[in-house]
Amino acid sequence: MKRILVTGGAGFIGSHLCERLLAEGNDVICLDNFFTGRKQNVAHLLGNPYFELVRHDVITPYYAEVDEIYNLACPASPIHYQYNPIKTVKTSVMGAINVLGLAKRVRAKVLQASTSEVYGDPNVHPQVENYWGNVNPIGIRSCYDEGKRCAETLFMDYHRQNGVRIKIIRIFNTYGPRMNPNDGRVVSNFIVQALQGNNITIYGKGTQTRSFQYVDDLVEGMIRLMNTPDEVTGPVNVGNPNEFTILELAQKVIELTQSTSKIVFEDLPADDPRQRQPDITQAHNLLGGWQPTVQLAAGLHKTIDYFRQQVR
Ligand SMILES: NC(=O)c1ccc[n+]([C@@H]2O[C@H](COP(=O)([O-])OP(=O)(O)OC[C@H]3O[C@@H](n4cnc5c(N)ncnc54)[C@H](O)[C@@H]3O)[C@@H](O)[C@H]2O)c1
């Protein structure tokens, strides 16, 4: 049995990861400051003797004897990461230093939940891991994008300098049950607006594209990456290359919820990337043929079911 620390474990992705790691027979410590995560996300795990929930902020060091660490702690939606941008940078950078220090000390393997945002507004399409990105260092998204870039740097430096066993995963847009309904992310926004019969707001013309991956596919990719041989550090893109325009997504959500909502258009916020699509060749090659298996309609169905219970 492995003892595994999941920072940000009470968040959307973290809660699914904790669930899966427990199901595989591990001992899981879920650490969270509950900034965007919620106890309800892991309430169903609290009765499991191999699950421990710890309130802690990753900007201060945490000590525990663990075999593996998944570092997910960081607000992920623009509304939340821009709420206190200085804190967002601290969470990414000091959080990374603290988990890496712990990993070094207890010789644990550590995986960083990085993001496709490290590519910024990309000039290369689809994005491959060796593309260095096109990121604005002084914009309102920079606290998140540059914080995550710096965290990647720290991971590589701890690996080169101290031999820490690291894995970097670059996560592309992910959706599923337990997304925060108020975080302004496109999938949850559209579903909530549709279920409430409100207008569906599209920023810009809706021609910007996104690729959406269902959370179960991501969790599978994360665990496979953690289990790769030590020489595999990443970064590895994990996402669904199936691309849709934002307008197509809105139409699909309206269709699946059978909503009467109308689509309305508003101005595009600053630095909103126009196009995002992962090249997942590396993930496929390094992670035992990994590829997304959940189709958009099937994933949306499960997510809509969840939000029906939340939004009344
Ligand atoms: N959801 C996506 O599409 C996506 C895409 C790319 C990367 N990611 C990354 O995956 C990770 C999880 O994202 P998510 O979508 O589950 O978001 P989330 O906001 O639901 O989860 C983040 C969790 O981290 C916790 N947290 C934030 N700051 C903390 C701190 N200082 N100390 C301790 N805990 C803290 C939050 O309370 C929350 O539970 C994040 O690192 C995010 O950057 C997510």
Side-chain angles (χ1 to χ4, degrees):
M1 180 183 271
K2 285 184 286 196
R3 186 176 300 153
I4 303 179
L5 173 65
V6 180
T7 76
F12 155 52
I13 296 170
S15 61
H16 289 273
L17 179 63
C18 287
E19 206 173 84
R20 172 78 189 270
L21 292 170
L22 282 169
E24 289 184 356
N26 299 292
D27 189 336
V28 175
I29 304 175
C30 167
L31 182 151
D32 209 294
N33 72 348
F34 303 115
F35 175 47
T36 51
R38 299 185 301 170
K39 283 185 194 159
Q40 293 98 296
N41 287 343
V42 290
H44 59 299
L45 305 177
L46 288 173
N48 187 323
Y50 297 107
F51 182 74
E52 215 173 317
L53 179 60
V54 178
R55 180 189 288 269
H56 183 86
D57 194 307
V58 291
I59 72 170
T60 52
Y62 174 77
Y63 298 106
E65 290 294 329
V66 291
D67 305 297
E68 293 176 357
I69 306 168
Y70 289 84
N71 186 38
L72 276 66
C74 187
S77 71
I79 290 180
H80 290 124
Y81 70 64
Q82 288 166 11
Y83 170 76
N84 183 345
I86 297 169
K87 175 72 193 247
T88 301
V89 175
K90 283 186 184 171
T91 295
S92 262
V93 175
M94 295 165 71
I97 291 171
N98 288 328
V99 294
L100 285 159
L102 174 62
K104 179 182 164 196
R105 186 178 157 147
V106 301
R107 297 181 195 281
K109 244 192 291 189
V110 56
L111 178 144
Q112 167 66 2
S114 191
T115 168
S116 56
E117 303 291 332
V118 300
Y119 298 119
D121 191 1
N123 298 319
V124 168
H125 192 75
Q127 288 81 54
V128 278
E129 288 86 347
N130 61 10
Y131 172 54
W132 292 352
N134 177 34
V135 177
N136 175 359
I138 56 170
I140 56 169
R141 301 175 73 106
S142 312
C143 59
Y144 182 73
D145 303 3
E146 298 288 18
K148 288 284 188 180
R149 286 169 68 94
C150 184
E152 286 198 10
T153 308
L154 284 160
F155 268 69
M156 289 309 299
D157 284 336
Y158 267 77
H159 174 66
R160 283 185 289 248
Q161 198 173 323
N162 299 117
V164 175
R165 293 177 296 153
I166 62 140
K167 312 282 175 190
I168 299 171
I169 186 166
R170 290 190 180 148
I171 302 169
F172 282 67
N173 271 338
T174 304
Y175 71 98
R178 303 194 205 119
M179 292 179 88
N180 186 326
N182 304 316
D183 72 2
R185 282 193 270 184
V186 64
V187 175
S188 46
N189 255 9
F190 286 0
I191 293 177
V192 171
Q193 287 169 332
L195 289 176
Q196 292 179 331
N198 297 328
N199 287 340
I200 293 200
T201 328
I202 289 187
Y203 297 101
K205 296 196 179 87
T207 50
Q208 67 274 41
T209 60
R210 293 289 186 275
S211 55
F212 303 100
Q213 121 180 281
Y214 189 66
V215 64
D216 290 356
D217 284 331
L218 168 63
V219 166
E220 178 67 31
M222 290 176 105
I223 292 174
R224 286 195 193 194
L225 179 58
M226 184 62 108
N227 292 333
T228 50
D230 288 350
E231 59 273 18
V232 178
T233 59
V236 177
N237 290 338
V238 172
N240 191 330
N242 242 350
E243 227 181 1
F244 298 86
T245 66
I246 293 291
L247 183 59
E248 283 168 329
L249 176 72
Q251 288 162 340
K252 190 94 199 155
V253 168
I254 289 178
E255 180 198 317
L256 292 173
T257 51
Q258 298 178 319
S259 171
T260 53
S261 297
K262 302 266 172 303
I263 296 176
V264 296
F265 297 87
E266 287 186 11
D267 289 344
L268 202 61
D271 294 340
D272 194 49
R274 284 172 311 230
Q275 237 183 359
R276 263 311 151 57
Q277 189 192 27
D279 181 313
I280 55 166
T281 315
Q282 272 220 55
H284 191 261
N285 293 342
L286 294 172
L287 310 181
W290 176 90
Q291 59 181 24
T293 58
V294 182
Q295 298 304 316
L296 185 69
L300 282 177
H301 259 302
K302 291 188 190 177
T303 314
I304 289 166
D305 283 350
Y306 169 79
F307 278 111
R308 270 192 213 284
Q309 292 153 23
Q310 304 292 309
V311 180
R312 288 192 194 271

